[in-house]
Amino acid sequence: MSRRARLWLLAPALAGTMALVVWGFTGLADFGHFQGAYGNLLAKVAVPERKATDIVVSTTFDYRGFDTLGEEMILFTAVLGLVVLLRELRGEQEEEEEAHDDQEGHAGREHRTSDALRIFGFGMVGPTVVLGVYIVTHGTLTPGGGFQGGVVLATALLVVYLAGRYAAMRKVSPLPLLEAGEATGAMAYGLIGLGGLIIAGMYMKNFIDPGTKGSLLSGGFIPLLNIAVGLEVAGAFSLAFQEFLDQTILLRGDGGSE
Amino acid sequence: MSFLPYAVAAWLFGVGIYGVATSRNLIHLVVCLTVVQSGTYILLLAIGYVGAGKAPIFADIPLNSKVVDPVVQTLTLTDVVVEATVVALLLALAMQAEKRFGTLDPDELGVMRS
């Protein structure tokens, strides 16, 4: 199809869709006047019931825990697909480039990273990991949770890449470990849900005593789910970063970092 | 200007769709898709906003405070996670396409299949 024909096809379709969208928006409550029955109810009952002060997290992992299981599986499957797609690609390229890989070698690439960047980067790794663990474990109390903290943990890996070398990054995060972390996190979430079925008689039912409001272990099984999700997200995103970096480095035929 | 957040959401949605349909590069196409999804974040958060409401986190505010809707915030979190994974998967597909057909232009992908 020519571009002109496509634009002519797009114009009425987009205009129609946008008209529907605008028409739909006119039926919404005025900005700032929303009265959601579920939201209002949760804002009232969640803290007395679950003792977790972050309602977004107690909704995500407890009241909507079953949906989050599906969300986790989306993440798991998507990263699995990504790994399958990119590794097939890598296999082909490695065969092609095996010949001159030996000649070029990977030495002499280190000098590309400046000392300042390297020192700053390695100094950042520790705080980044601590911040990530803090966000995962304090999800029940303050803004954060497994998803957000997991992403912060995965960025620690990128800081290592930025500061040091690709080889150093591979050393601190061997692929089997990342894969195992991702799979363990996904499985743990399902198993904790199963604990609800066994102990409380319902899948994904909170079966642990919620404790006292404001303590680190409040919220029953919510901190456990946060850790499971944090592990999975950290594993999944590190795996994705690493697979993409592998591709970049293969395409450049480069063992170091920019 | 109480309709402004909705207008922004609709604008991002429309502009993103236009970008996807007219894109000449698969990476650009994926970015346009994220623009469409940004519209959904704005829409969800705008719907859930309650005038002068606080964040639904009772760590340091009294229990009877007026807060914004926590359910749409949870949905936005799901939205963000799904977007991140879909983008990663689509970028991997784009790399495969580039490898197979030697181009990132969606118009040329079909032609070169023979």
Side-chain angles (χ1 to χ4, degrees):
Chain A
M1 198 192 305
S2 75
R3 298 193 67 81
R4 183 180 289 268
R6 186 187 304 176
L7 274 178
W8 279 111
L9 196 65
L10 173 69
L14 191 60
T17 310
M18 289 315 290
L20 279 175
V21 166
V22 171
W23 180 60
F25 281 6
T26 56
L28 290 173
D30 276 354
F31 180 64
H33 293 87
F34 181 67
Q35 289 299 323
Y38 297 116
N40 285 343
L41 183 70
L42 282 176
K44 280 197 187 63
V45 302
V47 174
E49 267 185 23
R50 302 290 191 245
K51 312 290 184 202
T53 48
D54 184 351
I55 307 289
V56 178
V57 159
S58 61
T59 311
T60 308
F61 292 102
D62 195 336
Y63 297 105
R64 275 182 80 245
F66 196 61
D67 290 346
T68 307
L69 180 69
E71 182 185 346
E72 258 219 331
M73 290 304 140
I74 292 175
L75 176 65
F76 186 73
T77 326
V79 171
L80 200 69
L82 179 146
V83 169
V84 169
L85 276 172
L86 290 185
R87 282 202 188 152
E88 192 200 341
L89 214 58
R90 186 168 59 185
E92 289 163 11
Q93 280 162 346
E94 265 168 3
E95 276 165 28
E96 284 166 21
E97 292 180 9
E98 212 162 340
H100 36 112
D101 205 34
D102 295 332
Q103 299 159 13
E104 287 183 17
H106 294 285
R109 307 268 182 191
E110 286 169 77
H111 62 272
R112 283 191 188 176
T113 311
S114 74
D115 286 344
L117 181 61
R118 207 171 321 162
I119 290 167
F120 180 71
F122 280 121
M124 283 293 290
V125 175
T128 309
V129 171
V130 172
L131 179 69
V133 171
Y134 168 80
I135 292 179
V136 170
T137 51
H138 287 68
T140 37
L141 305 176
T142 47
F147 288 104
Q148 297 91 324
V151 174
V152 174
L153 283 174
T155 55
L157 196 67
L158 285 183
V159 176
V160 174
Y161 171 75
L162 197 68
R165 292 195 315 143
Y166 174 67
M169 190 187 86
R170 289 301 291 262
K171 213 177 287 173
V172 295
S173 69
L175 282 178
L177 194 70
L178 296 181
E179 288 164 1
E182 194 205 357
T184 311
M187 186 183 67
Y189 195 100
L191 287 181
I192 292 168
L194 210 58
L197 184 66
I198 293 165
I199 295 168
M202 201 186 288
Y203 191 72
M204 286 309 305
K205 188 171 169 128
N206 199 336
F207 59 91
I208 298 176
D209 177 52
T212 51
K213 174 180 172 249
S215 87
L216 188 58
L217 294 175
S218 60
F221 72 172
I222 297 174
L224 289 179
L225 289 178
N226 262 326
I227 292 170
V229 167
L231 195 61
E232 196 208 333
V233 172
F237 276 82
S238 311
L239 205 57
F241 292 154
Q242 192 140 355
E243 292 292 340
F244 277 120
L245 284 173
D246 278 1
Q247 288 296 320
T248 317
I249 279 145
L250 269 174
L251 291 175
R252 264 200 262 126
D254 177 1
S257 62
E258 296 287 322
Chain B
M1 293 293 271
S2 68
F3 64 93
L4 194 58
Y6 297 134
V8 170
W11 169 250
L12 286 175
F13 179 80
V15 146
I17 298 273
Y18 175 81
V20 169
T22 57
S23 176
R24 286 165 180 272
N25 182 306
L26 288 177
I27 308 284
H28 170 264
L29 194 152
V30 174
V31 174
C32 290
L33 196 67
T34 66
V35 172
V36 177
Q37 284 214 293
S38 308
T40 65
Y41 308 154
I42 305 255
L43 178 63
L44 279 171
L45 293 177
I47 285 177
Y49 182 71
V50 176
K54 295 197 167 97
I57 291 161
F58 292 95
D60 50 5
I61 57 173
L63 262 182
N64 53 6
S65 314
K66 192 170 158 193
V67 293
V68 301
D69 196 287
V71 175
V72 287
Q73 301 218 346
T74 307
L75 288 174
T76 311
L77 175 63
T78 307
D79 201 357
V80 171
V81 173
V82 170
E83 190 211 330
T85 55
V86 166
V87 164
L89 193 59
L90 287 176
L91 287 176
L93 280 170
M95 288 182 90
Q96 274 280 12
E98 204 270 344
K99 168 78 180 166
R100 292 262 177 279
F101 305 111
T103 175
L104 278 171
D105 189 337
D107 285 344
E108 290 176 29
L109 289 180
V111 182
M112 298 187 64
R113 181 157 303 174
S114 59

